[in-house]
Amino acid sequence: MFEFLLNEEQRKLRDEVRELVAWVPRQLILDMDQDKVTFPKEFLAEAGRRNLMGCRYPRKWGGRGLDWVSTCMVMEEVGVLGYIFACVFGVGAELVCDAIIQHGNDEQKERYVKPLLAGEIFAAECLTEPRGGSDFFGTTSVAEDQGDHFLLNGQKRFIVGAEGADYFLVYARTDPDPKADPRQALTCFIVNRGPGVEVAYLYGLMGCRGGGAGRLVFKDVKVPKANVVGSVGGAYKVFNTMMIPERLGTAAMTIGAAQPAVDVATGYSTRRKAFGQPINQFQGVSFQVAQAVTLLDASRAMIYATARAVDAGEDQNHTRRLISQTKKFVTESCQQAAHHAMQVMGGIGYTNVFPVERIVRDLRLASIWTGTNEVMSMIVAHEWYRAYHQAKTSAPRDFEADALEAESGEKIYE
């Protein structure tokens, strides 16, 4: 943690989160990884009881009125328990609540946000479908207008909290015209668990187990019109704003999840002896630890710089690029840091004698979910070229001209 970035209130909050982390039973971590616990309701209830979820939301709705720097700090601290703990913590309190806080009405905030942040109910976001994940506009779930309600039919896949959530944030098509502008054809709904909502399948995951990830099927589910988030046809606006908590929060919690692997490997390297001395005396070992630490600190620097940009209300296109860069760089750096940790430990790191193998398995999800890192690269490239063309006219000098043969006539582009 970068102490110098936190004020007194944020340090106090950090200490509160660390108390929560210390409270979590070891057996819960083990049982979740073995799928004996399919959704950690007791953990979320305790986090809510301590008023640790959704710290950047107004106090009126159960938050603490803080900022994104505070949120990233909380996500990092929760992540040390394991990536899945931060996943379930963030999906409800940072994603679903964010959509309702920003786009919902007071009645929805009272009914769905306050009890969730208090740890009394739980929520999940339903975006990915069986036919694809990154193609938001390709949504095939349909909600038909029935006058006083919508009738929802469709399926959602890889939903963290499918098993355990009390309500779901669901994106569905409300304009049946296949030629309709996709930016106006989808609507965001709050869907209560009830008749017609079925968990059809729970996934056997490589890592991040115990979060109730499953496939949801909606069969003729009656959704009251009062449960539309924002406006009918306005899902794109909701989706756009949710990319901030979804991707920035994901990056922050990845640092927390990777840190224990580096800590364990560091301690191991000071105790394990070979050739008559601790193995951290060998550059082949200590340099890997140094590289892992450097990657984590570089990730933190990127996280908190981006968080401050969001808090400052930076240009939306610039923020979009920063968040996408951050998500890609941090998740890949943390995976690499965990790889170094396992390499330092050798064969014992590949067993469940130490938690490093679980951490490596868990972190593999980070570069896939909330938008693959390839999608992040597409966004970065798009926004960088946009920014380049906009800034070109105001550059302090023509850098291209600063070459000896700049006027040689050799600049041929076609």
Side-chain angles (χ1 to χ4, degrees):
M1 174 54 61
F2 286 4
E3 292 277 343
F4 59 90
L5 290 177
L6 305 180
N7 59 34
E8 185 176 348
E9 183 179 17
Q10 290 166 332
R11 290 192 184 99
K12 180 178 179 296
L13 175 60
R14 177 206 57 197
D15 292 343
E16 290 183 53
V17 181
R18 288 181 176 178
E19 288 175 5
L20 170 67
V21 168
W23 169 88
V24 172
R26 168 181 177 268
Q27 196 60 46
L28 178 60
I29 297 173
L30 301 179
D31 286 349
M32 287 174 66
D33 190 47
Q34 296 176 60
D35 278 327
K36 293 179 180 178
V37 171
T38 56
F39 191 74
K41 289 186 177 182
E42 63 177 307
F43 163 69
L44 294 174
E46 183 66 18
R49 188 187 69 78
R50 296 171 183 245
N51 191 213
L52 294 176
M53 296 199 289
C55 69
R56 62 196 166 87
Y57 302 129
R59 294 179 183 277
K60 178 180 180 180
W61 306 119
R64 297 194 183 204
L66 299 177
D67 55 15
W68 259 108
V69 169
S70 303
T71 297
C72 286
M73 176 273 293
V74 169
M75 295 306 294
E76 179 181 348
E77 293 291 340
V78 171
V80 303
L81 286 166
Y83 201 62
I84 188 56
F85 282 88
C87 288
V88 295
F89 183 96
V91 163
E94 297 298 331
L95 302 186
V96 175
C97 282
D98 195 83
I100 301 173
I101 287 287
Q102 291 204 55
H103 302 280
N105 55 46
D106 284 0
E107 182 181 345
Q108 292 170 341
K109 295 170 190 175
E110 186 71 36
R111 183 176 179 186
Y112 294 105
V113 171
K114 285 184 72 173
L116 187 144
L117 295 184
E120 297 167 0
I121 60 175
F122 315 104
E125 180 199 22
C126 297
L127 176 60
T128 302
E129 296 194 351
R131 64 170 297 279
S134 298
D135 183 8
F136 172 70
F137 295 118
T139 296
T140 58
S141 294
V142 174
E144 298 179 11
D145 192 336
Q146 300 291 307
D148 63 341
H149 67 274
F150 284 90
L151 200 62
L152 174 65
N153 284 280
Q155 296 187 34
K156 298 292 180 176
R157 192 182 200 184
F158 307 144
I159 306 305
V160 173
E163 180 79 10
D166 296 293
Y167 70 93
F168 306 92
L169 193 74
V170 181
Y171 297 91
R173 184 171 297 278
T174 46
D175 190 332
D177 184 356
K179 296 181 179 179
D181 182 347
R183 287 172 173 76
Q184 300 174 6
L186 305 180
T187 301
C188 182
F189 298 94
I190 298 170
V191 179
N192 297 310
R193 185 184 293 276
V197 179
E198 175 192 354
V199 180
Y201 184 75
L202 284 178
Y203 296 101
L205 302 179
M206 170 182 170
C208 286
R209 300 166 183 159
R215 176 163 54 88
L216 282 167
V217 177
F218 301 102
K219 296 180 179 178
D220 293 333
V221 181
K222 292 184 177 181
V223 184
K225 289 199 168 178
N227 282 26
V228 170
V229 179
S231 60
V232 174
Y236 179 58
K237 183 181 293 186
V238 178
F239 175 77
N240 257 353
T241 57
M242 285 189 70
M243 290 305 96
I244 294 176
E246 192 153 279
R247 291 165 180 172
L248 186 53
T250 286
M253 70 195 208
T254 310
I255 301 173
Q259 186 68 57
V262 178
D263 289 351
V264 168
T266 301
Y268 181 82
S269 71
T270 64
R271 298 193 298 271
R272 174 73 162 91
K273 290 185 177 181
F275 306 102
Q277 59 184 318
I279 61 174
N280 71 328
Q281 298 300 309
F282 300 105
Q283 289 183 347
V285 172
S286 63
F287 280 13
Q288 293 208 62
V289 172
Q291 179 66 4
V293 172
T294 300
L295 287 169
L296 293 187
D297 278 345
S299 296
R300 288 188 178 93
M302 204 166 188
I303 281 287
Y304 290 107
T306 302
R308 288 196 168 185
V310 176
D311 285 333
E314 266 287 289
D315 171 74
Q316 186 177 11
N317 293 328
H318 184 217
T319 301
R320 176 177 158 91
R321 174 165 65 86
L322 288 177
I323 291 170
S324 300
Q325 289 174 178
T326 300
K327 195 268 182 180
K328 176 179 169 60
F329 177 83
V330 171
T331 55
E332 291 176 0
S333 294
C334 290
Q335 289 169 346
Q336 188 61 39
H339 167 80
H340 285 304
M342 180 172 282
Q343 199 68 17
V344 163
M345 299 185 70
I348 196 71
Y350 198 66
T351 73
N352 62 7
V353 172
F354 289 93
V356 175
E357 62 86 23
R358 170 177 55 80
I359 293 169
V360 169
R361 285 189 285 109
D362 287 352
L363 286 177
R364 190 59 189 87
L365 176 63
S367 56
I368 297 173
W369 87 319
T370 70
T372 66
N373 283 7
E374 289 71 29
V375 170
M376 299 303 101
S377 293
M378 288 169 52
I379 295 171
V380 170
H382 176 78
E383 296 301 340
W384 172 252
Y385 277 104
R386 183 212 300 266
Y388 166 79
H389 289 299
Q390 290 177 343
K392 191 175 181 181
T393 56
S394 59
R397 61 184 295 117
D398 181 4
F399 304 117
E400 195 174 297
D402 293 335
L404 183 61
E405 299 294 333
E407 304 299 328
S408 65
E410 286 301 307
K411 295 178 181 179
I412 301 169
Y413 301 110
E414 294 183 0

